mmCIF file of all heavy atoms in Angstrom:
data_model
loop_
_atom_site.group_PDB
_atom_site.id
_atom_site.type_symbol
_atom_site.label_atom_id
_atom_site.label_comp_id
_atom_site.label_asym_id
_atom_site.label_seq_id
_atom_site.Cartn_x
_atom_site.Cartn_y
_atom_site.Cartn_z
ATOM 1 N N ARG A 159 -55.360 -85.288 32.186
ATOM 2 C CA ARG A 159 -55.215 -85.856 33.517
ATOM 3 C C ARG A 159 -54.251 -85.125 34.439
ATOM 4 O O ARG A 159 -53.694 -85.689 35.341
ATOM 5 C CB ARG A 159 -54.774 -87.335 33.358
ATOM 6 C CG ARG A 159 -55.301 -88.283 34.410
ATOM 7 C CD ARG A 159 -56.693 -87.919 34.779
ATOM 8 N NE ARG A 159 -57.690 -88.397 33.842
ATOM 9 C CZ ARG A 159 -58.410 -89.496 33.995
ATOM 10 N NH1 ARG A 159 -58.246 -90.211 35.083
ATOM 11 N NH2 ARG A 159 -59.306 -89.841 33.126
ATOM 12 N N PHE A 160 -54.065 -83.827 34.170
ATOM 13 C CA PHE A 160 -53.244 -83.053 35.107
ATOM 14 C C PHE A 160 -54.173 -82.290 36.044
ATOM 15 O O PHE A 160 -54.407 -81.118 35.924
ATOM 16 C CB PHE A 160 -52.309 -82.070 34.406
ATOM 17 C CG PHE A 160 -52.959 -81.307 33.297
ATOM 18 C CD1 PHE A 160 -53.455 -80.029 33.511
ATOM 19 C CD2 PHE A 160 -53.092 -81.865 32.021
ATOM 20 C CE1 PHE A 160 -54.050 -79.330 32.479
ATOM 21 C CE2 PHE A 160 -53.695 -81.156 31.005
ATOM 22 C CZ PHE A 160 -54.178 -79.900 31.236
ATOM 23 N N THR A 161 -54.752 -83.045 36.980
ATOM 24 C CA THR A 161 -55.736 -82.421 37.863
ATOM 25 C C THR A 161 -55.058 -81.574 38.911
ATOM 26 O O THR A 161 -54.014 -81.919 39.433
ATOM 27 C CB THR A 161 -56.580 -83.488 38.585
ATOM 28 O OG1 THR A 161 -55.689 -84.378 39.252
ATOM 29 C CG2 THR A 161 -57.406 -84.254 37.602
ATOM 30 N N ALA A 162 -55.704 -80.445 39.205
ATOM 31 C CA ALA A 162 -55.152 -79.536 40.191
ATOM 32 C C ALA A 162 -55.142 -80.189 41.562
ATOM 33 O O ALA A 162 -54.264 -79.944 42.383
ATOM 34 C CB ALA A 162 -55.958 -78.250 40.244
ATOM 35 N N LYS A 163 -56.143 -81.040 41.788
ATOM 36 C CA LYS A 163 -56.228 -81.674 43.104
ATOM 37 C C LYS A 163 -55.085 -82.650 43.320
ATOM 38 O O LYS A 163 -54.618 -82.850 44.422
ATOM 39 C CB LYS A 163 -57.560 -82.405 43.244
ATOM 40 C CG LYS A 163 -57.778 -83.476 42.198
ATOM 41 C CD LYS A 163 -59.175 -84.046 42.242
ATOM 42 C CE LYS A 163 -59.400 -84.912 40.998
ATOM 43 N NZ LYS A 163 -60.807 -85.298 40.891
ATOM 44 N N THR A 164 -54.620 -83.289 42.230
ATOM 45 C CA THR A 164 -53.517 -84.241 42.338
ATOM 46 C C THR A 164 -52.193 -83.518 42.501
ATOM 47 O O THR A 164 -51.211 -84.092 42.938
ATOM 48 C CB THR A 164 -53.447 -85.129 41.095
ATOM 49 O OG1 THR A 164 -54.751 -85.295 40.569
ATOM 50 C CG2 THR A 164 -52.856 -86.473 41.423
ATOM 51 N N ALA A 165 -52.174 -82.242 42.126
ATOM 52 C CA ALA A 165 -50.928 -81.486 42.229
ATOM 53 C C ALA A 165 -50.488 -81.371 43.686
ATOM 54 O O ALA A 165 -51.287 -81.515 44.604
ATOM 55 C CB ALA A 165 -51.140 -80.075 41.651
ATOM 56 N N ALA A 166 -49.202 -81.147 43.856
ATOM 57 C CA ALA A 166 -48.651 -81.037 45.207
ATOM 58 C C ALA A 166 -49.361 -79.917 45.969
ATOM 59 O O ALA A 166 -49.473 -78.813 45.457
ATOM 60 C CB ALA A 166 -47.160 -80.742 45.153
ATOM 61 N N PRO A 167 -49.880 -80.221 47.140
ATOM 62 C CA PRO A 167 -50.596 -79.205 47.927
ATOM 63 C C PRO A 167 -49.665 -78.092 48.350
ATOM 64 O O PRO A 167 -48.550 -78.342 48.823
ATOM 65 C CB PRO A 167 -51.100 -79.987 49.142
ATOM 66 C CG PRO A 167 -50.209 -81.178 49.248
ATOM 67 C CD PRO A 167 -49.775 -81.493 47.852
ATOM 68 N N GLN A 168 -50.115 -76.859 48.153
ATOM 69 C CA GLN A 168 -49.290 -75.731 48.536
ATOM 70 C C GLN A 168 -49.518 -75.395 49.988
ATOM 71 O O GLN A 168 -50.655 -75.283 50.440
ATOM 72 C CB GLN A 168 -49.646 -74.511 47.673
ATOM 73 C CG GLN A 168 -49.509 -74.801 46.196
ATOM 74 C CD GLN A 168 -49.933 -73.605 45.372
ATOM 75 O OE1 GLN A 168 -50.243 -72.569 45.902
ATOM 76 N NE2 GLN A 168 -49.933 -73.777 44.059
ATOM 77 N N ALA A 169 -48.449 -75.230 50.727
ATOM 78 C CA ALA A 169 -48.576 -74.937 52.158
ATOM 79 C C ALA A 169 -49.300 -73.617 52.366
ATOM 80 O O ALA A 169 -48.987 -72.613 51.729
ATOM 81 C CB ALA A 169 -47.192 -74.854 52.794
ATOM 82 N N GLY A 170 -50.285 -73.636 53.241
ATOM 83 C CA GLY A 170 -50.981 -72.394 53.604
ATOM 84 C C GLY A 170 -51.735 -71.761 52.461
ATOM 85 O O GLY A 170 -51.817 -70.551 52.381
ATOM 86 N N SER A 171 -52.295 -72.557 51.576
ATOM 87 C CA SER A 171 -53.043 -71.982 50.463
ATOM 88 C C SER A 171 -54.475 -71.695 50.905
ATOM 89 O O SER A 171 -55.438 -72.217 50.357
ATOM 90 C CB SER A 171 -53.055 -72.942 49.283
ATOM 91 O OG SER A 171 -53.701 -74.139 49.650
#
Side-chain angles (χ1 to χ4, degrees):
Chain A
R159 214 38 80 98
F160 44 97
T161 55
K163 59 188 169 189
T164 329
Q168 304 177 4
S171 62

